[in-house]
Amino acid sequence: MGEYTSSTTASAASMRGGLIAAIFLMATSAIGPGFITQTATFTAKLGAAFAFAILASILIDFVVQMNIWRITALTGRPASETANRAVPGAGYLLSVMVIFGGLVFNVGNIAGSGLGLNAMIGLDPKIGGALSAILAIGLFLSKSAGVLLDRIIVVLGILMIAMTIFVAVITNPPVGEALRQTVLPDTVDFAAITTIVGGTVGGYITYAGAHRLLDKGLTGVANLPAITRGALSGIAVTGVMRFVLFLAILGVTSSGVTLDLASKTANPAAQAFLAAAGEWGLRIFGLIFWAAAITSVIGAAYTSVSFMPVFRPMDSRARDIATVIFITVSLGIYLLLGTAPAALLVFAGGFNGLILPVGLTIFTYIGFARADLMGGYRYNRALLTLSAIVCALTWYMGIKSVGTIFAFLGS
């Protein structure tokens, strides 16, 4: 991952391909099984008022991703190395947190892939989880791993959005009421906002797209306009999927269907899709859930391993092997657990939410005070001001919720 500050060595087509790959890696990393379950749960609890929480989380996503993508591109280095240069030792701390958070989340992602195949074709969840992990391992063992990664992520991302839109049309949700409560909610639930932010832009997810840009050589001031558009597109893809999924489930709950949120084995999203379109709805849910899970397995493994070279230099083949080991360890933990990892998945989302302010603080400091790390570039002050505000907000939310988050480990 060397520095790259000129757009002349990359064709327009390769730049476009690199941006699309980064956009979908970021979006599909954010759209995992936890994302789907949380959206269904909060929609059932809050109804149309959940639209405001979605808007708030998208605005926070905008500030975080815009700054992380742009500053990473300007430094031309992975976040771990940039953090170490800004504050000695900070990169090691950030790396340990991201790798641990990614590992815990990946256990839930593999479990989600098993649940998806169970809903889709009736396969035992553990066998489905193992097969999905083996598929992801095969991807990284392939000599064409980079090309396959980009294509699979894009295809599955488009498939998820298309299938969810289909179900949203069937359920006929109260769109007007949802739009009204997007800006004028009947109730504001900060716990919902915190949970969604942690699960969709916390931990490894923050750096997934940015590190893919580095691998594609899209760095430097010359590429900044394209990178900015790419970050906006990634946020838009995630936001559209989030809002469409919300509308699909809102249509079900608004029709009088009550989703079970109390039992430990409850799967509110599966219930909503079953109520919307019967057995076919359940199969569609299984496909969406599996696609969300397998792309998150790939994204979590790829991004977590991208932080490892800060401890020891690694070439691309060594990174692929480390990624295979990472997925294998995640699978082993899942198979040993023997229980539905609902509490673990919630803990992982919360823990990744705690990681967010650590990395954002470092990058905000770099933007304000370390132009030397960005080739002397004077970073946009308006974006930095927004970053500082979001940074303070995420620290506040993290401090308020840290006890609750770690309590899930004892569940």
Side-chain angles (χ1 to χ4, degrees):
M1 289 188 189
E3 291 187 51
Y4 180 94
T5 55
S6 173
S7 61
T8 57
T9 59
S11 68
S14 65
M15 178 186 290
R16 186 166 55 251
L19 281 172
I20 291 172
I23 287 166
F24 275 89
L25 184 63
M26 168 192 139
T28 54
S29 292
I31 303 166
F35 166 96
I36 294 173
T37 303
Q38 290 162 6
T39 300
T41 300
F42 286 119
T43 303
K45 285 182 177 179
L46 302 174
F50 184 50
F52 175 79
I54 292 174
L55 176 63
S57 66
I58 291 171
L59 293 175
I60 292 172
D61 287 1
F62 163 77
V63 174
V64 174
Q65 294 290 1
M66 185 66 71
N67 284 293
I68 296 295
W69 276 43
R70 286 165 55 90
I71 293 175
T72 297
L74 288 168
T75 63
R77 302 181 185 92
S80 51
E81 187 180 334
T82 300
N84 266 347
R85 293 192 178 210
V87 182
Y92 299 123
L93 172 64
L94 184 61
S95 297
V96 168
M97 295 181 76
V98 167
I99 292 167
F100 175 72
L103 181 66
V104 176
F105 224 137
N106 228 23
V107 175
N109 290 334
I110 291 174
S113 67
L115 292 173
L117 286 178
N118 176 259
M120 187 164 49
I121 58 175
L123 193 64
D124 180 273
K126 285 203 170 184
I127 295 175
L131 290 176
S132 299
I134 291 169
L135 175 63
I137 288 170
L139 168 67
F140 285 102
L141 286 177
S142 168
K143 291 181 180 179
S144 305
V147 175
L148 286 173
L149 171 65
D150 294 343
R151 289 179 180 173
I152 288 172
I153 290 290
V154 171
V155 169
L156 290 179
I158 293 172
L159 181 66
M160 277 192 285
I161 293 173
M163 289 292 96
T164 309
I165 290 173
F166 171 70
V167 174
V169 171
I170 290 176
T171 63
N172 192 28
V175 177
E177 179 64 9
L179 291 175
R180 182 187 71 80
Q181 296 218 43
T182 300
V183 291
L184 294 171
D186 291 342
T187 180
V188 176
D189 190 323
F190 286 103
I193 298 171
T194 304
T195 303
I196 289 191
V197 168
T200 55
V201 75
Y204 74 89
I205 300 167
T206 310
Y207 308 98
H211 280 190
R212 195 64 184 149
L213 288 176
L214 290 181
D215 281 355
K216 293 292 184 179
L218 293 172
T219 60
V221 177
N223 286 317
L224 207 54
I227 290 164
T228 300
R229 290 194 299 272
L232 286 170
S233 299
I235 296 160
V237 169
T238 309
V240 166
M241 179 64 180
R242 188 177 300 167
F243 204 78
V244 169
L245 179 63
F246 156 70
L247 287 176
I249 296 166
L250 181 65
V252 172
T253 57
S254 297
S255 69
V257 175
T258 301
L259 303 182
D260 174 20
L261 304 178
S263 64
K264 288 188 176 182
T265 58
N267 191 332
Q271 296 167 41
F273 278 67
L274 179 62
E279 284 298 317
W280 276 107
L282 188 62
R283 302 289 178 262
I284 291 172
F285 162 78
L287 177 60
I288 293 170
F289 209 69
W290 178 80
I294 192 67
T295 51
S296 292
V297 168
I298 293 167
Y302 166 84
T303 310
S304 297
V305 169
S306 73
F307 278 79
M308 292 182 182
V310 74
F311 300 105
R312 181 181 178 180
M314 302 167 70
D315 60 20
S316 60
R317 195 60 186 163
R319 276 180 54 176
D320 287 342
I321 293 170
T323 306
V324 168
I325 295 171
F326 187 89
I327 296 171
T328 303
V329 171
S330 304
L331 174 60
I333 294 171
Y334 164 60
L335 294 176
L336 286 172
L337 281 176
T339 56
L344 186 65
L345 196 59
V346 175
F347 166 75
F351 186 79
N352 279 340
L354 298 178
I355 299 170
L356 174 59
V358 176
L360 190 58
T361 298
I362 296 167
F363 273 78
T364 304
Y365 161 69
I366 292 169
F368 272 118
R370 296 301 303 269
D372 58 305
L373 296 178
M374 300 182 289
Y377 183 84
R378 189 179 188 277
Y379 197 80
N380 185 291
R381 263 31 192 179
L383 280 175
L384 284 177
T385 301
L386 289 173
S387 185
I389 293 169
V390 168
C391 195
L393 178 63
T394 53
W395 272 115
Y396 173 77
M397 292 191 300
I399 291 169
K400 293 287 286 184
S401 59
V402 64
T404 304
I405 289 167
F406 277 90
F408 279 107
L409 288 177
S411 300

